[in-house]
Each structure stands twice: as structure tokens, then as C-alpha cells.
Amino acid sequence: MSSLRERKSSEGSLVERLRTEVSQLVQRSVKGFEYLTTPHPQVGVTPRTLLHRRGTLALYHYHSTASEVYRVPLLMVMALNAKASIFDLAKGQSLIEYLIGRGYDVYVIDWNAPTAAESGLKFEDYVLDFIPDSVRRVQQDSGCDDVSMIGYCMGGVLSTTYAALHPEGPLKNLVLFTTPTDFTKMFFHNMLDKGSFDIGRMIGKDGLLSAAAIEKAIDLHRPATRYASQLRLWDNMWNDHYVKAHRMMISWGSGAMPFAGAFFQQMHKEYIRKNGFIEGGIRIGGKPVELKNIKVPLLHVIAQYDSLVPPECAKPLVEGVGSTDKEELILPGGHVSLVAGPAAVKRMWPKLDQWLSVRSV
């Protein structure tokens, strides 16, 4: 008798699974058509004010929505080749929305693509001009002399370099997300570290390293990733939440930008070939860049499964700085999912708020 019940239960489970799969197949077809015929969702929708724009620099202010605001304003620095909308994907999926709701006065450097006329931009322009100018404007606008800074990936390299060159302040706190430090541990190091490799061949006639060239380099590292992403999308086409998240990431990724050729060549020489953060020898504007000169409170958040900036590449930073108040936080996730997405909402954002809150009064 029990065997008969078990067989019927098994048959019922099989029928239910078949119904679910057929339903999902139908939804994939319908929603696949919607995916192909409707535009990608708009990202970066939190209200903001353009505080200053000059060339490739755009400085925005996001006003806090909390009743009480922390004294120390927060300046976020994005990587040069990506838009800052990764911090502001959509309502409920926006780090910026979260921070201003928690009482932070947020400013964001959102870079514009350099033109051919700006192909000569170098580290000096960013860390001795654009970023210091932005810091001064944040001070003036907020009425506070202290400023906290968050740098993401290459934005973290810029922020770290800025902090090392300005040990006298006015930086109050430094937060870094997935910031490369030991460049010998990055996937492209062996390719770019060959003495016979002509880095100039990667630069276009306009003097820029194109976004397409950067994407191809990443695809060489993980050639199946793009196809795997498409397969996962099809498998989950019935899932509205998955599709929405995927489309937001596509919208953000479509804004990829080139590097100024001079900047990229300088980065290759000083940071990659010399491995300058670790071995020393970096000089920007004639000044040495040394991690030990950074003495402000520092938090470095590392993604455990990051293939672009793996943990072994990012970990030496905290050990190298001269700060006594410093913390390294390794969380599950990849290079992007650490900052944006459901896992970031639950894991990284509250950790960031907890660390910043006591250091922003």
C-alpha cells in the first residue's frame, strides 16, 4: 500500500515539474519577444544636481533624504572607463539612494569619455587637478573641511594615489572597493609585462584606448563568460526579477568609455610594469607615491570571487598603508555584484554604513 502511495506521489511530482517547465517555456517565449522589442531600463535615476563640469570631469551632488545628516560629506570616485550609474541602478537597487537615505551627503565624480583632444591626459591631471578641484568644491558646497572618499576599482587606484600624494589632508576617511594593488596578480599582467610588447599598438589613431579594446582584453581572460551570460538569461527569461537585473547591468555596461592613451601608457609603465604600489618607484608630478603615506582611517572591501581584481591582487593594500585604523573586508561576490545587486544590498551596503557612520560625525 505504501509503495502505491509513493508511486502516485512520484508521478504527481513529475507532472508538477513538467507543468512548471512548460509554463516557463511559454513565458520564455513571450518574455523573450518583450526583451527584444522593448528598450533597456534607464539607470541612474536618483535626483542629482550638477555641481561642476570641466572637460572629462562631471561632479554631481545627491542631497541626503534623511532628517539628520552626518557632518562629513562623501565623495565617490568612479573608474575612468565606466559610468557611475553602477552606484545608482534603480530604486531599491541604488547604493546612492541607500546612502542618502542613511544620512550621508553624497557627491559623485562621474567621468565623461575623453576626446581626441584630451588623449594626453595623465595621472597628474586626475590626482593633482580634477580630484583636488572636486574635493575643494565639495568642501565649499557642504561647508565642511573634512571629506570622506570612496573609490571603485580603477577609481580606487586614483583615490589611493590621491591620498598618498596628499597626506596632509583634507581626507577624513578612505574607502576602497576591489582596488588592484599587486598588479602581478591581475590576469593581463603577463601579457602587458613583456619587454617586447609595444603598448602603443593598442592606442588608436585618436590617441585613445577604445572601450572595445578593453572589452576584448577581458574576453580573452574569460572567453566563455559572454556566452554563459546569454544562456543564463534564456534559462531565467521567465523570471522577471532576473531579467530586470540583467537588463540594468546591460544598460550600465553599454556606457563603457575609452582611456586617454597617455594615461594608459603611464599606468602600464608605473603601476603594471614596475608594480609600483608594491615595489615603489611611482612618481606623479615629480612626487613619490607611497602607500605608507596614507594614514587616514581606511576600509578596503574585496570580492571573494572577483576574476578581474582577485583577492590576492587587492589584499596587499591594507598591509601597505600607514593607517592605524584600517580594515580589510572580504565578502562573497564578483567584481560588480559586490557593489550592486541583491547580495550587495544585504551584505556590503550595511557593512559600509556601519563603518562610515562612526567616522563621519
Side-chain angles (χ1 to χ4, degrees), residues 112-172:
N112 300 299
T115 64
E118 296 168 315
S119 63
L121 289 173
K122 302 177 72 174
F123 265 87
E124 284 82 354
D125 296 290
Y126 293 101
V127 302
L128 297 178
D129 183 5
F130 288 135
I131 293 179
D133 182 33
S134 296
V135 169
R136 286 191 295 270
R137 292 177 185 277
V138 169
Q139 290 175 303
Q140 293 168 2
D141 190 68
S142 66
C144 181
D145 291 335
D146 294 326
V147 176
S148 294
M149 186 175 291
I150 293 180
Y152 177 31
C153 189
M154 280 305 300
V157 172
L158 292 175
S159 300
T160 301
T161 303
Y162 165 82
L165 291 172
H166 298 81
E168 72 286 352
L171 210 57
K172 171 71 171 175

Side-chain angles (χ1 to χ4, degrees), residues 314-343:
K315 286 177 69 67
L317 194 149
V318 167
E319 181 180 351
V321 300
S323 308
T324 55
D325 179 2
K326 55 185 178 179
E327 181 179 349
E328 177 183 277
L329 183 62
I330 301 178
L331 296 176
H335 191 73
V336 175
S337 63
L338 177 78
V339 176

Side-chain angles (χ1 to χ4, degrees), residues 90 92-95 97-98 337-351:
Q93 292 288 321
S94 167
L95 174 57
E97 178 191 47
Y98 174 82
S337 63
L338 177 78
V339 176
V345 174
K346 296 177 182 178
R347 293 180 183 137
M348 197 275 280
W349 296 4
K351 294 283 188 181

Side-chain angles (χ1 to χ4, degrees), residues 11 94 137 170 177 192 213 217-218 242 262 277-279 302 340 357:
E11 290 173 351
S94 167
R137 292 177 185 277
F177 300 153
L192 295 180
I218 295 173
Y242 185 94
F277 272 153
I278 303 299
E279 303 297 335
I302 299 171
S357 60

Side-chain angles (χ1 to χ4, degrees), residues 78-107:
M78 189 55 194
L80 297 176
N81 63 321
K83 299 303 293 180
S85 53
I86 190 64
F87 298 139
D88 186 31
L89 287 180
K91 192 171 181 59
Q93 292 288 321
S94 167
L95 174 57
I96 290 175
E97 178 191 47
Y98 174 82
L99 289 172
I100 62 177
R102 299 294 294 178
Y104 297 95
D105 200 13
V106 176
Y107 298 80

Side-chain angles (χ1 to χ4, degrees), residues 95-351:
L95 174 57
I96 290 175
E97 178 191 47
Y98 174 82
L99 289 172
I100 62 177
R102 299 294 294 178
Y104 297 95
D105 200 13
V106 176
Y107 298 80
V108 176
I109 294 179
D110 193 8
W111 305 106
N112 300 299
T115 64
E118 296 168 315
S119 63
L121 289 173
K122 302 177 72 174
F123 265 87
E124 284 82 354
D125 296 290
Y126 293 101
V127 302
L128 297 178
D129 183 5
F130 288 135
I131 293 179
D133 182 33
S134 296
V135 169
R136 286 191 295 270
R137 292 177 185 277
V138 169
Q139 290 175 303
Q140 293 168 2
D141 190 68
S142 66
C144 181
D145 291 335
D146 294 326
V147 176
S148 294
M149 186 175 291
I150 293 180
Y152 177 31
C153 189
M154 280 305 300
V157 172
L158 292 175
S159 300
T160 301
T161 303
Y162 165 82
L165 291 172
H166 298 81
E168 72 286 352
L171 210 57
K172 171 71 171 175
N173 304 293
L174 179 61
V175 178
L176 303 168
F177 300 153
T178 65
T179 295
T181 308
D182 184 351
F183 281 82
T184 65
K185 301 300 192 296
M186 292 193 79
F187 73 90
F188 56 68
H189 182 269
N190 289 336
M191 176 181 70
L192 295 180
D193 193 39
K194 305 299 182 184
S196 60
F197 185 83
D198 182 7
I199 198 72
R201 291 168 53 191
M202 299 181 66
I203 309 299
K205 293 181 179 179
D206 57 2
L208 306 175
L209 176 67
S210 69
I214 299 171
E215 289 175 358
K216 286 179 181 178
I218 295 173
D219 286 345
L220 284 174
H221 169 55
R222 300 182 68 184
T225 299
R226 196 178 300 273
Y227 301 105
S229 175
Q230 294 299 320
L231 288 173
R232 286 195 298 271
L233 173 62
W234 173 248
D235 286 341
N236 290 277
M237 189 63 75
W238 57 273
N239 185 331
D240 288 338
H241 293 294
Y242 185 94
V243 174
K244 180 181 179 181
H246 179 88
R247 300 191 76 178
M248 286 191 298
M249 288 299 180
I250 293 296
S251 293
W252 168 69
S254 64
M257 299 179 294
F259 281 131
F263 172 88
F264 180 70
Q265 289 179 310
Q266 188 180 21
M267 182 177 73
H268 173 254
K269 177 184 177 183
E270 301 290 338
Y271 292 78
I272 299 174
R273 289 289 303 280
K274 286 184 179 179
N275 199 25
F277 272 153
I278 303 299
E279 303 297 335
I282 300 175
R283 298 190 71 85
I284 302 297
K287 301 178 181 179
V289 177
E290 298 180 351
L291 293 180
K292 66 181 182 181
N293 288 338
I294 300 175
K295 295 183 170 62
V296 297
L298 180 140
L299 171 68
H300 191 189
V301 188
I302 299 171
Q304 185 177 1
Y305 307 113
D306 193 338
S307 63
L308 292 178
V309 184
E312 59 268 25
C313 169
K315 286 177 69 67
L317 194 149
V318 167
E319 181 180 351
V321 300
S323 308
T324 55
D325 179 2
K326 55 185 178 179
E327 181 179 349
E328 177 183 277
L329 183 62
I330 301 178
L331 296 176
H335 191 73
V336 175
S337 63
L338 177 78
V339 176
V345 174
K346 296 177 182 178
R347 293 180 183 137
M348 197 275 280
W349 296 4
K351 294 283 188 181

